[in-house]
Amino acid sequence: MVTVTDAPATPSPASESAVAPRLIATDLDGTLLHDDKTVSDRTIAALAAAERAGIEVFFVTGRPARWMDVVSDHVHGHGLAICANGAAVVDLHRGRRIVEVSPLDRTVALDVVNVLRGVAPGTTFAVERTGGSHYEPQYPPFHRDQAAVVAPVEKLLAEDFGPLPGPDTDPGMAADTVTVAPRGAPGAFDATGPGQPVLKLLAHHAELDPDDFLALARTAAGALASVTRSSPTALLEISGLGVSKADTLARCCAERGITPQEVVAFGDMPNDIEMLTWAGTSYAMANAHPDVLAVTTGRTDSNNDDGVAAVIERMLRPGPAGG
């Protein structure tokens, strides 16, 4: 199971860089948000101060677009967020509309299902598509959408799968047809209708240790897809091969002429590691997974103690003490 390593009560500075920060990339759950899934007034003020100072803020999360309402009012300027571990770019200024996807091929997803069933019997699956999440009957009721289809994963991954938008579908997407072009592919697709892209395959095991399950899955299926986790339970998040928070963030930064050295990143779980190692400056939360603590250039307070805000405040402070 995950063990938490104690971190200092106050932020430890990351390796100093001669390059001034131009972008803050922060995870949400376990990082920016308190455990009750709220954003503190202190954090809201720090994010706003960063934007006023000319530093862009990107929320980079494993969450789907429809769960971004908690921070939709706190992103300015560009209005974009990176969701589903990099598989979707979402415009929070336009009703949480998905504007770009890096999908998981459904036939590859089925191959991963078969591999995981072979190496970890008892694994159950859910499928996150652009229009919502759908589940196998035995999959745990973590955050079930009322409009979800409950069926064997083979049906959930069918080529013509496309339930009608329901009460828990993203309101911006449900209001009218949304078409977005998948990265690296011509044309467009309906984000809510039949054939909607698969963003993530979720795999849960009721008995395996979370880190053991991740290592097992990466060994068995890592050549097929990207496998990571962000939950304290044995719940894996599986995306297209090469898709990660870092991959999509790097592309968004390149479009803005921002280098890795100009990025400050925050995270707490294995799905943040690629982003944290890509960024020039990175901070692990005090509550972070040991693997995250091992790769970051600095540490800060826990999510419940506003660790992200503490670093931003220090970074914006004038004089040598600032970031």
Side-chain angles (χ1 to χ4, degrees):
M1 298 297 291
V2 173
T3 57
V4 176
T5 303
D6 290 335
T10 56
S12 65
S15 300
E16 293 298 329
S17 170
V19 181
R22 293 180 58 195
L23 187 141
I24 292 168
T26 179
D27 174 51
L28 294 182
D29 297 282
T31 300
L32 191 80
L33 305 182
H34 284 192
D35 286 347
D36 64 2
K37 307 306 179 186
T38 61
V39 188
S40 72
D41 291 340
R42 179 186 180 188
T43 295
I44 291 170
L47 295 175
E51 294 272 7
R52 287 195 301 272
I55 302 172
E56 292 194 66
V57 176
F58 262 80
F59 301 126
V60 189
T61 178
R63 286 184 170 218
R66 65 188 179 282
W67 290 0
M68 294 298 290
D69 56 310
V70 68
V71 292
S72 291
D73 293 336
H74 308 307
V75 66
H76 307 284
H78 57 84
L80 299 178
I82 295 170
C83 294
N85 290 330
V89 177
V90 177
D91 190 339
L92 299 182
H93 289 341
R94 297 175 58 216
R96 303 190 299 280
R97 293 172 184 266
I98 298 173
V99 297
E100 180 184 298
V101 298
S102 298
L104 171 63
D105 183 88
R106 64 179 192 84
T107 59
V108 172
L110 283 169
D111 289 341
V112 173
V113 166
N114 291 329
V115 168
L116 292 183
R117 282 175 173 166
V119 299
T123 300
T124 57
F125 298 93
V127 176
E128 175 76 31
R129 288 180 178 262
T130 51
S133 291
H134 309 281
Y135 315 87
E136 287 197 305
Q138 301 83 9
Y139 188 83
F142 291 120
H143 303 285
R144 292 214 172 180
D145 297 340
Q146 294 179 6
V149 172
V150 180
V153 69
E154 289 80 4
K155 178 177 179 179
L156 303 180
L157 289 169
E159 185 173 9
D160 59 353
F161 180 86
L164 293 175
D168 281 353
T169 304
D170 186 317
M173 294 173 65
D176 55 358
T177 299
V178 179
T179 56
V180 292
R183 179 165 65 97
F189 53 81
D190 186 342
T192 57
Q196 58 189 248
V198 175
L199 297 179
K200 289 195 295 184
L201 176 70
L202 302 170
H204 179 265
H205 203 283
E207 299 176 0
L208 290 176
D209 171 84
D211 285 328
D212 291 345
F213 191 27
L214 177 59
L216 178 67
R218 283 178 169 172
T219 298
L224 298 173
S226 297
V227 185
T228 190
R229 76 177 190 88
S230 61
S231 170
T233 66
L235 176 63
L236 304 183
E237 302 165 58
I238 300 157
S239 306
L241 192 63
V243 175
S244 69
K245 290 183 176 186
D247 176 70
T248 303
L249 177 62
R251 190 167 63 257
C252 290
C253 287
E255 291 169 356
R256 291 161 173 75
I258 296 173
T259 67
Q261 291 73 29
E262 295 172 309
V263 177
V264 180
F266 300 85
D268 73 306
M269 288 296 281
N271 66 326
D272 297 315
I273 288 175
E274 291 93 343
M275 175 178 74
L276 294 169
T277 54
W278 175 83
T281 303
S282 58
Y283 286 88
M285 314 307 291
N287 50 286
H289 187 284
D291 290 350
V292 174
L293 291 165
V295 301
T296 51
T297 60
R299 297 184 185 181
T300 188
D301 298 327
S302 73
N303 62 314
N304 287 325
D305 292 324
D306 298 325
V308 173
V311 172
I312 294 174
E313 291 163 358
R314 185 175 64 82
M315 188 168 66
L316 297 179
R317 194 176 301 141

